[in-house]
Amino acid sequence: MTVLSGPSGVGKSTVVAELRRRSPEIWISVSVTTRSPRPGEVDGREYHFVDDREFDRMAAAGELLERAEFAGNKYGTPREPVRRQLEHGVPTLLEIDIAGARQVRQAVKGDALFVFLKPPSWAELVRRLTARGTEPPEVVERRLAVAREELAAASEFDVTLVNTSVQEVCRQMVTLINSDQ
Ligand code: 5GP
């Protein structure tokens, strides 16, 4: 199993969307979230969009491998689908935030490769977080504050990739995911 993490706005979801397109042999975990869909997002593809009550039910029932709150919303990885893919030896990718990656590390005890995606520079991260234009300013501010702390977590990861180009990061991810099998 490979876990891709890094600050919000670094381009993790763009990398994952490209991997989904060009490497269908990789199974990508679909998280549950209480946040509303962004334009273009499809329920069941990027996320399972659930309400607070359903999220809390899943958490209480132990159905989530890890979970985190991020910028006022809840996110979690459904446990059972991941277990099933791993049981069948399918290359499996999780794209989650740093708090979630730490929980997975506790849960799998070294049985995963942890990859940190870093922006080329802080200025570039600010530009990306601001340019998305889909969030109100106070949400962007909160995400920047979290991102500043999260950048410091790179040293906890097995590999750090710099997001200079989506294509290049995808190539590196495919190599890493395959070498982890
Ligand atoms: P976004 O709302 O921009 O799609 O995601 C916000 C943050 O939540 C990103 O850093 C993303 O990686 C993270 N995230 C997405 N799904 C999960 C999940 O299942 N668990 C955790 N811990 N973080 C997640």
Side-chain angles (χ1 to χ4, degrees), residues 3 15 31 34 51 58 73 76-78 106 113 117-118 124 142 146 149 152 154 158 163 166-167 174:
V3 178
V15 168
S31 299
T34 60
D51 59 18
M58 293 180 81
N73 294 302
T77 304
Q106 292 301 316
L113 183 73
L117 189 62
K118 210 175 97 153
E124 178 62 15
R142 246 185 303 166
V146 173
E149 274 180 42
D158 300 316
N163 195 7
V166 174
Q167 296 302 329
V174 169

Side-chain angles (χ1 to χ4, degrees), residues 54 67 91 151 155 179:
E54 171 61 2
R67 64 201 151 99
L151 273 180
S155 61
S179 67

Side-chain angles (χ1 to χ4, degrees), residues 19-171:
L19 279 172
R20 188 182 291 120
R21 201 181 62 75
R22 72 181 235 183
S23 298
E25 76 282 5
I26 299 169
W27 182 80
I28 301 165
S29 166
V30 181
S31 299
V32 287
T33 183
T34 60
R35 116 161 135 60
S36 308
R38 295 194 184 112
E41 286 182 335
V42 175
D43 188 35
R45 189 178 65 189
E46 282 82 8
Y47 287 103
H48 299 292
F49 297 97
V50 297
D51 59 18
D52 231 58
R53 198 188 151 101
E54 171 61 2
F55 189 99
D56 291 348
R57 187 203 62 75
M58 293 180 81
E63 293 177 15
L64 301 177
L65 174 63
E66 60 73 39
R67 64 201 151 99
E69 290 217 19
F70 186 90
N73 294 302
K74 298 174 184 175
Y75 298 82
T77 304
R79 185 192 298 278
E80 185 55 20
V82 173
R83 193 195 60 75
R84 240 180 293 128
Q85 299 302 323
L86 293 176
E87 186 178 78
H88 291 100
V90 177
T92 295
L93 176 66
L94 269 54
E95 183 246 296
I96 57 179
D97 79 341
I98 308 227
R102 288 180 178 137
Q103 291 168 52
V104 174
R105 177 150 9 79
Q106 292 301 316
V108 304
K109 305 263 185 263
D111 244 2
L113 183 73
F114 291 87
V115 181
F116 189 89
L117 189 62
K118 210 175 97 153
S121 66
W122 174 252
E124 178 62 15
L125 183 61
V126 173
R127 197 190 62 75
R128 287 187 200 180
L129 275 172
T130 316
R132 185 144 68 191
T134 50
E135 264 95 14
E138 62 273 17
V139 173
V140 173
E141 272 310 311
R142 246 185 303 166
R143 282 176 179 238
L144 279 175
V146 173
R148 209 171 288 121
E149 274 180 42
E150 289 196 323
L151 273 180
S155 61
E156 297 170 30
F157 285 72
D158 300 316
V159 182
T160 295
L161 301 180
V162 181
N163 195 7
T164 44
S165 104
V166 174
Q167 296 302 329
E168 182 51 29
V169 171
C170 277
R171 255 194 302 278

Side-chain angles (χ1 to χ4, degrees), residues 7-18:
S8 170
V10 74
K12 295 189 298 289
S13 53
T14 309
V15 168
V16 167
E18 179 63 12

